[in-house]
């Protein structure tokens, strides 16, 4: 701001000194409306949301938690303040359902309304392991395997190795194939070991299934010898030869 003086004759004086006034922001950020909660591996619960709109920068978020559904924060427990749009809760008990809410604050301290309230149950329990892994068919390097499962909502990690699989440590560095089916087809060029691990919706992993070994025969049979042709008077052609010495010729 600056001021000029005007006398009774209309003469205008010079500008005064100039001062600056910062008008504080009193507008609260938009409330979070898309808060989500998801049970993940080892009993952890992930909550995440989209950054809300604000006329200034969001400074941080306040995270609230409860074991009961409550529509206000007075009876919820404050557990953290963070700057990211996600939070992983590790202070959980198995099979206990937790409710979460989030409040955003901007750099002027304006507080948004309470977000939507979401819930998820902590899951520490690994699923039942896949069982009865077996070879269904094997032909020209094409193998088909299958297994059984008592888990209704599992996906499966199929591991293959050129070395015998005896424990989880033998799977280090191997990228598994993920499937929702109870079978798997593969092309292999020699002795290969397979094992399966069940994974539930939370990402908890079961123990290793039984292991199977496949060793497809990719060696072509020895060629036949002494092929002869004889044409008889009835215009028939007769072929004869010495059989292949390979024992698996069909």
């Amino acid at each position: 701001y600056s001021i000029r003086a005007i006398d009774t004759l209309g003469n205008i004086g010079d500008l005064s000194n100039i001062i600056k006034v910062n008008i504080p922001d009193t507008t609260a950020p938009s409330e979070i409306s898309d808060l989500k909660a998801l049970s993940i591996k080892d009993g952890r619960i992930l909550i995440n949301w989209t950054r809300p709109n604000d006329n200034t920068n969001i400074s941080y978020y306040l995270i609230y938690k409860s074991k009961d559904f409550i529509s206000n924060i007075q009876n919820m427990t404050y557990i953290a303040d963070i700057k990211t749009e996600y939070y992983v809760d590790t202070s959980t008990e198995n099979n206990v359902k937790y409710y979460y809410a989030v409040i955003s604050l901007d750099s002027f301290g304006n507080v948004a309304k309470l977000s939507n309230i979401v819930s998820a149950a902590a899951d520490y329990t690994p699923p039942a392991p896949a069982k009865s892994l077996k070879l269904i068919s094997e032909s020209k390097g094409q193998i088909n395997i299958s297994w059984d499962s008592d888990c209704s909502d599992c996906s499966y990690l199929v591991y293959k190795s050129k070395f015998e699989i005896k424990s989880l440590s033998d799977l280090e560095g191997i990228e598994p194939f993920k499937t929702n089916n109870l079978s798997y087809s593969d092309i292999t060029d020699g002795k290969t070991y397979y094992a399966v691990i069940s994974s539930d919706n939370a990402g908890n992993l079961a123990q290793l299934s039984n292991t199977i070994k496949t060793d497809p025969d990719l060696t072509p049979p020895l060629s036949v010898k002494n092929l002869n042709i004889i044409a008889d008077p009835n215009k028939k052609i007769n072929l004869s030869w010495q059989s292949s010495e390979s024992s698996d010729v069909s």
Side-chain angles (χ1 to χ4, degrees), residues 225-242:
K225 299 177 181 179
N226 301 323
L227 176 64
N228 293 305
I229 182 170
I230 300 174
D232 66 16
N234 296 322
K235 298 182 179 181
K236 291 183 179 179
I237 294 176
N238 299 298
L239 298 176
S240 64
W241 60 89
Q242 183 179 337

Side-chain angles (χ1 to χ4, degrees), residues 124-143:
Y124 286 83
T125 307
K131 58 186 180 180
S132 303
L133 178 63
K134 56 185 176 292
L135 179 67
I136 299 299
S137 62
E138 179 182 68
S139 175
K140 297 181 180 179
Q142 171 81 44
I143 63 99

Side-chain angles (χ1 to χ4, degrees), residues 220-223 244-249:
L222 296 174
S223 59
S244 168
E245 294 180 359
S246 296
S247 60
D248 59 349
V249 173

Side-chain angles (χ1 to χ4, degrees), residues 83 121 165 179:
K83 295 181 180 293
I165 301 172
T179 179

